Amino acid sequence: LLNGLLDRHRLQEGRMALALRPESLERCLAALIDEMRPAAQAKGLALRFEAEGLAGWWLLDALRLQQIVRNLVVNAIKFTGRGVVTLRSGLHDSARGAPWRHLHIAVIDQGPGVDPALLSRLFERFQTSGGDRPGSGLGLHLSRDLARAVGGTLEAGAAPGGASDAGAE
């Protein structure tokens, strides 16, 4: 919680520096899935990782990327009672041209869905909606702002009674 508040403050002040280094994107995301697997298994959930075109080395801030995706995966596990949580990622051509690539990450769950009234407030600070563990309501708000700080977006889609998905680009 404290780290989240400090990161939020740094973002607001424009003082958050990204540590861009050559990293394996696939290994970065696979490590996150390995970290989250025990939490999924404790709830009887399967956790899948699907990667398309992530091979090679990419200039990225692995810590911040994992922070964004971790918040999405934690929420998916938190609100899914049974079934599968999937992290799907892939690289696509960017409008900037080569060598730039556009990373799309989606976290898809089989939870109860999200009420449309809540969906419009999902990324607001201190917004919580239950689940099996209480939260601070800062994770998605911070993740959205981190995604924006690196020129990306963070969106969610869901229907009550159906699967949810959240994605970052």
Side-chain angles (χ1 to χ4, degrees), residues 49-118:
F49 176 47
E50 300 173 1
E52 180 181 321
L54 300 185
W57 292 88
W58 303 92
L59 193 59
L60 61 102
D61 185 331
L63 178 70
R64 297 300 174 201
L65 175 63
Q66 287 179 330
Q67 187 176 5
I68 294 167
V69 178
R70 182 179 295 107
N71 279 318
L72 299 177
V73 173
V74 163
N75 279 338
I77 292 170
K78 180 178 178 178
F79 290 100
T80 301
R82 61 183 166 81
V84 179
V85 173
T86 303
L87 171 62
R88 184 176 295 147
S89 58
L91 290 167
H92 307 284
D93 291 335
S94 170
R96 292 175 149 176
W100 296 95
R101 300 293 301 206
H102 183 83
L103 173 64
H104 178 84
I105 296 173
V107 177
I108 303 140
D109 66 53
Q110 297 176 324
V114 180
D115 185 299
L118 175 61

Coordinates of all heavy atoms in Angstrom, one line a residue, residues 49-118:
F49 N -0.8 -18.6 -19.6 CA 0.0 -17.5 -20.3 C 0.1 -17.8 -21.7 O 0.5 -18.9 -22.1 CB 1.4 -17.4 -19.6 CG 2.3 -16.4 -20.3 CD1 1.8 -15.1 -20.6 CD2 3.6 -16.7 -20.6 CE1 2.7 -14.2 -21.2 CE2 4.4 -15.8 -21.2 CZ 4.0 -14.5 -21.5
E50 N -0.5 -16.9 -22.6 CA -0.4 -17.1 -24.0 C 0.3 -15.9 -24.6 O 0.0 -14.7 -24.4 CB -1.9 -17.1 -24.6 CG -2.7 -18.2 -24.0 CD -4.2 -18.1 -24.5 OE1 -4.5 -17.2 -25.2 OE2 -5.0 -19.0 -24.1
A51 N 1.4 -16.2 -25.3 CA 2.3 -15.1 -25.8 C 2.4 -15.3 -27.3 O 2.5 -16.4 -27.8 CB 3.7 -15.2 -25.2
E52 N 2.3 -14.2 -28.0 CA 2.5 -14.2 -29.5 C 3.5 -13.2 -29.9 O 3.3 -12.0 -29.7 CB 1.1 -13.9 -30.2 CG 1.2 -13.9 -31.7 CD -0.2 -13.6 -32.3 OE1 -1.2 -14.0 -31.7 OE2 -0.2 -12.8 -33.3
G53 N 4.6 -13.6 -30.5 CA 5.6 -12.7 -31.1 C 6.4 -11.9 -30.1 O 6.8 -10.8 -30.4
L54 N 6.6 -12.5 -28.9 CA 7.3 -11.7 -27.8 C 8.8 -12.0 -27.8 O 9.5 -11.5 -27.0 CB 6.7 -12.0 -26.4 CG 5.2 -11.6 -26.2 CD1 4.9 -11.9 -24.8 CD2 4.9 -10.2 -26.6
A55 N 9.2 -12.9 -28.7 CA 10.6 -13.3 -28.6 C 11.5 -12.1 -28.9 O 11.2 -11.1 -29.5 CB 10.9 -14.4 -29.7
G56 N 12.7 -12.2 -28.3 CA 13.7 -11.2 -28.5 C 13.8 -10.3 -27.3 O 13.2 -10.5 -26.2
W57 N 14.6 -9.2 -27.4 CA 14.9 -8.3 -26.4 C 14.2 -7.0 -26.7 O 14.3 -6.5 -27.8 CB 16.4 -8.1 -26.2 CG 17.0 -9.4 -25.6 CD1 17.5 -10.4 -26.4 CD2 17.2 -9.7 -24.3 NE1 17.9 -11.4 -25.5 CE2 17.8 -11.0 -24.2 CE3 16.9 -9.1 -23.1 CZ2 18.1 -11.7 -23.1 CZ3 17.2 -9.7 -21.9 CH2 17.8 -11.0 -21.9
W58 N 13.6 -6.4 -25.7 CA 12.9 -5.1 -25.9 C 13.3 -4.1 -24.8 O 13.6 -4.5 -23.7 CB 11.4 -5.4 -25.8 CG 11.0 -6.4 -26.8 CD1 10.9 -7.8 -26.6 CD2 10.7 -6.2 -28.1 NE1 10.5 -8.4 -27.7 CE2 10.4 -7.4 -28.7 CE3 10.6 -5.0 -28.9 CZ2 10.0 -7.6 -30.1 CZ3 10.2 -5.2 -30.3 CH2 10.0 -6.4 -30.8
L59 N 13.3 -2.9 -25.1 CA 13.7 -1.8 -24.2 C 12.4 -1.5 -23.4 O 11.4 -1.0 -23.9 CB 14.1 -0.6 -24.9 CG 14.8 0.5 -24.1 CD1 16.0 0.0 -23.4 CD2 15.2 1.7 -25.0
L60 N 12.4 -1.9 -22.1 CA 11.2 -1.7 -21.3 C 11.6 -1.6 -19.8 O 12.7 -1.9 -19.4 CB 10.3 -2.8 -21.5 CG 10.7 -4.2 -21.2 CD1 10.2 -4.7 -19.8 CD2 10.2 -5.2 -22.2
D61 N 10.7 -1.1 -19.0 CA 10.8 -1.1 -17.6 C 10.1 -2.3 -17.0 O 8.8 -2.2 -16.9 CB 10.3 0.2 -17.0 CG 10.5 0.4 -15.5 OD1 10.5 -0.6 -14.8 OD2 10.6 1.5 -15.0
A62 N 10.8 -3.4 -16.8 CA 10.1 -4.6 -16.5 C 9.4 -4.5 -15.1 O 8.3 -5.1 -15.0 CB 11.2 -5.7 -16.4
L63 N 9.9 -3.8 -14.2 CA 9.3 -3.6 -12.9 C 7.9 -2.9 -13.0 O 6.9 -3.4 -12.5 CB 10.2 -2.8 -11.9 CG 9.6 -2.5 -10.6 CD1 9.5 -3.8 -9.7 CD2 10.4 -1.5 -9.8
R64 N 7.8 -1.9 -13.8 CA 6.6 -1.2 -14.0 C 5.6 -2.0 -14.8 O 4.4 -2.0 -14.5 CB 6.8 0.2 -14.7 CG 7.6 1.1 -13.8 CD 7.0 1.4 -12.5 NE 7.9 2.2 -11.6 CZ 7.8 2.2 -10.3 NH1 6.9 1.6 -9.7 NH2 8.7 2.9 -9.7
L65 N 6.1 -2.7 -15.9 CA 5.2 -3.5 -16.6 C 4.6 -4.6 -15.8 O 3.4 -4.8 -15.8 CB 6.0 -4.1 -17.8 CG 5.2 -5.2 -18.6 CD1 4.0 -4.5 -19.3 CD2 6.1 -5.8 -19.7
Q66 N 5.4 -5.2 -14.9 CA 4.9 -6.3 -14.0 C 4.0 -5.7 -13.0 O 3.0 -6.3 -12.7 CB 6.1 -7.0 -13.3 CG 6.8 -7.9 -14.3 CD 8.0 -8.6 -13.6 OE1 8.6 -8.1 -12.6 NE2 8.3 -9.8 -14.0
Q67 N 4.2 -4.5 -12.6 CA 3.3 -3.8 -11.6 C 1.9 -3.6 -12.2 O 0.9 -3.9 -11.5 CB 3.9 -2.5 -11.2 CG 3.2 -1.8 -10.1 CD 3.9 -0.5 -9.6 OE1 4.9 -0.1 -10.2 NE2 3.4 0.1 -8.6
I68 N 1.9 -3.2 -13.4 CA 0.6 -3.0 -14.1 C -0.2 -4.3 -14.3 O -1.3 -4.5 -13.9 CB 0.8 -2.3 -15.5 CG1 1.3 -0.9 -15.3 CG2 -0.5 -2.3 -16.3 CD1 1.8 -0.3 -16.6
V69 N 0.5 -5.3 -14.8 CA -0.1 -6.6 -15.1 C -0.4 -7.3 -13.8 O -1.5 -8.0 -13.8 CB 0.8 -7.4 -16.1 CG1 0.2 -8.8 -16.4 CG2 1.0 -6.6 -17.4
R70 N 0.4 -7.2 -12.8 CA 0.2 -7.9 -11.5 C -1.2 -7.4 -11.0 O -2.0 -8.2 -10.5 CB 1.3 -7.6 -10.5 CG 1.1 -8.3 -9.2 CD 2.2 -8.0 -8.2 NE 3.5 -8.6 -8.7 CZ 4.5 -7.9 -9.2 NH1 4.4 -6.6 -9.3 NH2 5.6 -8.5 -9.6
N71 N -1.4 -6.1 -11.0 CA -2.7 -5.6 -10.5 C -3.9 -6.2 -11.2 O -4.9 -6.5 -10.6 CB -2.8 -4.1 -10.6 CG -2.0 -3.4 -9.4 OD1 -2.1 -3.9 -8.3 ND2 -1.3 -2.4 -9.7
L72 N -3.8 -6.4 -12.6 CA -4.8 -7.0 -13.3 C -5.0 -8.4 -13.0 O -6.2 -8.9 -12.8 CB -4.6 -6.8 -14.8 CG -4.4 -5.4 -15.4 CD1 -4.0 -5.4 -16.8 CD2 -5.7 -4.6 -15.1
V73 N -3.9 -9.2 -12.9 CA -4.0 -10.6 -12.6 C -4.5 -10.8 -11.1 O -5.4 -11.7 -10.9 CB -2.6 -11.3 -12.8 CG1 -2.7 -12.8 -12.3 CG2 -2.2 -11.2 -14.3
V74 N -4.1 -10.0 -10.2 CA -4.5 -10.1 -8.8 C -6.0 -9.9 -8.8 O -6.8 -10.7 -8.1 CB -3.8 -9.1 -7.9 CG1 -4.6 -9.0 -6.6 CG2 -2.4 -9.6 -7.6
N75 N -6.5 -8.9 -9.5 CA -8.0 -8.7 -9.5 C -8.7 -9.8 -10.1 O -9.8 -10.2 -9.7 CB -8.3 -7.4 -10.1 CG -8.1 -6.2 -9.2 OD1 -8.1 -6.3 -8.0 ND2 -7.9 -5.0 -9.8
A76 N -8.2 -10.4 -11.2 CA -8.9 -11.5 -11.9 C -8.9 -12.7 -11.0 O -10.0 -13.3 -10.9 CB -8.1 -11.8 -13.2
I77 N -7.9 -13.0 -10.3 CA -7.9 -14.1 -9.3 C -8.9 -13.8 -8.2 O -9.6 -14.7 -7.8 CB -6.5 -14.4 -8.8 CG1 -5.6 -15.0 -9.9 CG2 -6.5 -15.4 -7.6 CD1 -4.1 -15.0 -9.6
K78 N -8.8 -12.6 -7.7 CA -9.7 -12.2 -6.6 C -11.2 -12.4 -6.8 O -11.9 -12.8 -6.0 CB -9.4 -10.7 -6.2 CG -10.1 -10.2 -5.1 CD -9.7 -8.7 -4.9 CE -10.4 -8.0 -3.8 NZ -9.9 -6.6 -3.6
F79 N -11.6 -12.1 -8.1 CA -13.0 -12.1 -8.4 C -13.5 -13.3 -9.2 O -14.6 -13.4 -9.6 CB -13.4 -10.8 -9.2 CG -13.3 -9.6 -8.3 CD1 -12.2 -8.8 -8.4 CD2 -14.3 -9.3 -7.5 CE1 -12.1 -7.6 -7.6 CE2 -14.3 -8.2 -6.7 CZ -13.2 -7.3 -6.7
T80 N -12.6 -14.3 -9.4 CA -12.9 -15.5 -10.1 C -13.0 -16.7 -9.1 O -12.1 -17.0 -8.4 CB -11.9 -15.8 -11.2 OG1 -11.8 -14.7 -12.1 CG2 -12.3 -17.1 -11.9
G81 N -14.2 -17.3 -9.1 CA -14.4 -18.4 -8.1 C -14.0 -19.7 -8.7 O -13.6 -20.6 -7.9
R82 N -14.1 -19.9 -10.0 CA -13.6 -21.2 -10.6 C -13.3 -20.9 -12.0 O -13.7 -19.9 -12.6 CB -14.7 -22.2 -10.4 CG -16.0 -21.9 -11.1 CD -17.1 -23.0 -10.9 NE -18.4 -22.5 -11.2 CZ -18.9 -22.5 -12.5 NH1 -18.2 -22.9 -13.5 NH2 -20.1 -22.0 -12.7
G83 N -12.5 -21.9 -12.6 CA -12.2 -21.7 -14.0 C -10.8 -21.3 -14.3 O -9.9 -21.8 -13.6
V84 N -10.6 -20.4 -15.2 CA -9.3 -20.1 -15.7 C -9.1 -18.6 -15.8 O -10.1 -17.8 -16.1 CB -9.1 -20.6 -17.2 CG1 -7.8 -20.3 -17.8 CG2 -9.4 -22.1 -17.2
V85 N -7.9 -18.1 -15.4 CA -7.5 -16.8 -15.6 C -6.4 -16.8 -16.7 O -5.4 -17.6 -16.5 CB -7.0 -16.1 -14.3 CG1 -6.4 -14.7 -14.6 CG2 -8.1 -16.0 -13.3
T86 N -6.5 -16.0 -17.7 CA -5.6 -16.1 -18.8 C -4.9 -14.7 -19.0 O -5.6 -13.7 -19.1 CB -6.3 -16.5 -20.2 OG1 -6.9 -17.7 -20.0 CG2 -5.3 -16.6 -21.3
L87 N -3.6 -14.8 -19.1 CA -2.8 -13.6 -19.5 C -2.4 -13.8 -21.0 O -1.7 -14.7 -21.3 CB -1.6 -13.4 -18.7 CG -0.6 -12.3 -19.1 CD1 -1.2 -10.9 -19.1 CD2 0.7 -12.4 -18.3
R88 N -3.0 -13.0 -21.9 CA -2.7 -13.1 -23.3 C -2.0 -11.8 -23.7 O -2.4 -10.7 -23.4 CB -4.1 -13.2 -24.0 CG -3.9 -13.4 -25.5 CD -5.3 -13.6 -26.2 NE -5.9 -14.8 -25.7 CZ -7.2 -15.0 -25.5 NH1 -8.0 -14.0 -25.8 NH2 -7.6 -16.2 -25.0
S89 N -0.9 -12.0 -24.5 CA -0.1 -10.9 -24.9 C 0.4 -11.1 -26.3 O 0.6 -12.2 -26.7 CB 1.1 -10.7 -23.9 OG 1.9 -11.8 -23.9
G90 N 0.6 -10.0 -27.0 CA 1.2 -10.0 -28.3 C 1.7 -8.7 -28.8 O 1.3 -7.6 -28.2
L91 N 2.6 -8.7 -29.7 CA 3.1 -7.5 -30.3 C 2.5 -7.3 -31.7 O 2.3 -8.2 -32.5 CB 4.6 -7.6 -30.5 CG 5.4 -7.6 -29.1 CD1 6.8 -8.0 -29.4 CD2 5.3 -6.2 -28.5
H92 N 2.2 -6.0 -32.0 CA 1.6 -5.6 -33.3 C 2.3 -4.5 -33.8 O 3.0 -3.7 -33.1 CB 0.1 -5.3 -33.1 CG -0.7 -6.3 -32.4 ND1 -1.1 -7.5 -33.0 CD2 -1.1 -6.4 -31.1 CE1 -1.7 -8.3 -32.1 NE2 -1.8 -7.6 -30.9
D93 N 2.2 -4.2 -35.1 CA 2.8 -3.1 -35.8 C 2.3 -1.8 -35.1 O 1.2 -1.7 -34.7 CB 2.5 -3.0 -37.3 CG 3.2 -4.2 -38.0 OD1 4.2 -4.7 -37.5 OD2 2.6 -4.6 -39.1
S94 N 3.2 -0.8 -35.0 CA 2.9 0.5 -34.4 C 2.8 1.5 -35.5 O 3.5 1.4 -36.6 CB 4.1 0.9 -33.5 OG 3.9 2.2 -33.0
A95 N 2.0 2.5 -35.2 CA 1.9 3.6 -36.2 C 3.2 4.4 -36.3 O 3.4 5.1 -37.3 CB 0.8 4.6 -35.7
R96 N 4.1 4.2 -35.3 CA 5.4 4.9 -35.4 C 6.3 4.2 -36.4 O 7.3 4.8 -36.7 CB 6.1 4.8 -34.0 CG 5.4 5.7 -33.0 CD 6.1 5.4 -31.7 NE 6.1 6.6 -30.8 CZ 6.6 6.6 -29.6 NH1 7.2 5.5 -29.1 NH2 6.5 7.7 -28.9
G97 N 6.0 3.0 -36.9 CA 6.8 2.3 -37.8 C 7.9 1.5 -37.1 O 8.0 1.5 -35.9
A98 N 8.7 0.8 -37.9 CA 9.8 0.0 -37.4 C 10.8 0.9 -36.7 O 11.0 2.0 -37.2 CB 10.4 -0.8 -38.5
P99 N 11.4 0.6 -35.6 CA 11.4 -0.7 -34.9 C 10.4 -0.7 -33.8 O 10.4 -1.6 -33.0 CB 12.8 -0.8 -34.4 CG 13.2 0.6 -34.0 CD 12.5 1.5 -35.1
W100 N 9.5 0.2 -33.8 CA 8.5 0.3 -32.7 C 7.5 -0.8 -32.9 O 7.1 -1.1 -34.0 CB 7.8 1.7 -32.7 CG 8.7 2.8 -32.4 CD1 9.4 3.6 -33.3 CD2 9.1 3.2 -31.1 NE1 10.1 4.5 -32.7 CE2 10.0 4.3 -31.3 CE3 8.8 2.8 -29.8 CZ2 10.6 5.0 -30.3 CZ3 9.4 3.5 -28.8 CH2 10.3 4.6 -29.0
R101 N 7.0 -1.3 -31.7 CA 6.0 -2.3 -31.7 C 4.9 -1.9 -30.7 O 5.2 -1.2 -29.8 CB 6.5 -3.7 -31.4 CG 7.6 -4.2 -32.3 CD 7.1 -4.5 -33.7 NE 6.0 -5.5 -33.5 CZ 5.7 -6.4 -34.4 NH1 6.2 -6.4 -35.6 NH2 4.8 -7.3 -34.2
H102 N 3.7 -2.4 -30.9 CA 2.6 -2.1 -30.0 C 2.3 -3.3 -29.2 O 2.0 -4.3 -29.8 CB 1.4 -1.6 -30.9 CG 0.2 -1.2 -30.2 ND1 0.0 0.0 -29.7 CD2 -0.9 -1.9 -29.8 CE1 -1.1 0.1 -29.1 NE2 -1.7 -1.1 -29.2
L103 N 2.5 -3.2 -27.9 CA 2.2 -4.4 -27.0 C 0.8 -4.4 -26.5 O 0.3 -3.3 -26.0 CB 3.2 -4.3 -25.8 CG 2.9 -5.4 -24.7 CD1 3.2 -6.8 -25.2 CD2 3.8 -5.1 -23.5
H104 N 0.1 -5.5 -26.7 CA -1.3 -5.6 -26.2 C -1.3 -6.7 -25.2 O -0.8 -7.8 -25.5 CB -2.3 -5.9 -27.3 CG -3.6 -6.1 -26.8 ND1 -4.5 -5.1 -26.6 CD2 -4.3 -7.2 -26.5 CE1 -5.6 -5.5 -26.1 NE2 -5.6 -6.8 -26.0
I105 N -1.8 -6.5 -24.0 CA -1.9 -7.4 -22.9 C -3.3 -7.5 -22.5 O -3.9 -6.4 -22.2 CB -1.0 -7.1 -21.8 CG1 0.5 -7.1 -22.2 CG2 -1.2 -8.0 -20.6 CD1 1.4 -6.6 -21.1
A106 N -3.9 -8.7 -22.4 CA -5.2 -8.9 -21.9 C -5.2 -9.9 -20.8 O -4.6 -10.9 -20.9 CB -6.2 -9.3 -23.0
V107 N -6.0 -9.6 -19.7 CA -6.2 -10.5 -18.6 C -7.6 -10.9 -18.7 O -8.5 -10.0 -18.5 CB -5.8 -10.0 -17.3 CG1 -6.1 -10.9 -16.1 CG2 -4.3 -9.6 -17.3
I108 N -7.9 -12.2 -18.9 CA -9.3 -12.6 -19.1 C -9.6 -13.6 -18.0 O -8.9 -14.5 -17.7 CB -9.4 -13.3 -20.5 CG1 -9.0 -12.3 -21.6 CG2 -10.9 -13.8 -20.7 CD1 -8.2 -12.9 -22.7
D109 N -10.8 -13.4 -17.4 CA -11.2 -14.3 -16.3 C -12.6 -14.8 -16.5 O -13.3 -14.4 -17.5 CB -11.1 -13.6 -14.9 CG -12.1 -12.5 -14.7 OD1 -13.3 -12.7 -14.9 OD2 -11.6 -11.4 -14.3
Q110 N -13.0 -15.7 -15.7 CA -14.3 -16.3 -15.8 C -15.1 -16.0 -14.6 O -16.0 -16.8 -14.1 CB -14.2 -17.8 -16.0 CG -13.6 -18.2 -17.3 CD -13.4 -19.7 -17.5 OE1 -13.1 -20.4 -16.5 NE2 -13.5 -20.2 -18.7
G111 N -14.9 -14.8 -14.0 CA -15.6 -14.4 -12.8 C -17.0 -13.9 -13.1 O -17.5 -14.1 -14.2
P112 N -17.7 -13.3 -12.2 CA -19.1 -13.0 -12.3 C -19.4 -11.8 -13.2 O -20.5 -11.4 -13.4 CB -19.5 -12.7 -10.9 CG -18.2 -12.2 -10.2 CD -17.1 -13.0 -10.8
G113 N -18.3 -11.1 -13.7 CA -18.5 -9.9 -14.5 C -18.6 -8.7 -13.6 O -18.4 -8.8 -12.4
V114 N -18.7 -7.5 -14.2 CA -18.7 -6.3 -13.5 C -20.0 -5.5 -13.9 O -20.3 -5.4 -15.0 CB -17.5 -5.4 -13.9 CG1 -17.5 -4.1 -13.2 CG2 -16.2 -6.2 -13.6
D115 N -20.6 -5.0 -12.8 CA -21.8 -4.2 -13.1 C -21.4 -3.0 -13.9 O -20.4 -2.3 -13.6 CB -22.3 -3.7 -11.7 CG -23.6 -3.0 -11.8 OD1 -23.6 -1.9 -12.4 OD2 -24.6 -3.4 -11.2
P116 N -22.2 -2.7 -15.0 CA -21.9 -1.5 -15.8 C -21.7 -0.2 -15.1 O -20.9 0.6 -15.4 CB -23.1 -1.4 -16.8 CG -23.6 -2.8 -16.8 CD -23.4 -3.4 -15.4
A117 N -22.5 0.0 -14.0 CA -22.3 1.2 -13.2 C -21.0 1.3 -12.5 O -20.4 2.3 -12.4 CB -23.4 1.3 -12.1
L118 N -20.4 0.1 -12.1 CA -19.1 0.1 -11.5 C -18.0 0.2 -12.6 O -17.0 0.8 -12.3 CB -18.9 -1.2 -10.7 CG -17.5 -1.4 -10.1 CD1 -17.2 -0.3 -9.1 CD2 -17.5 -2.8 -9.5

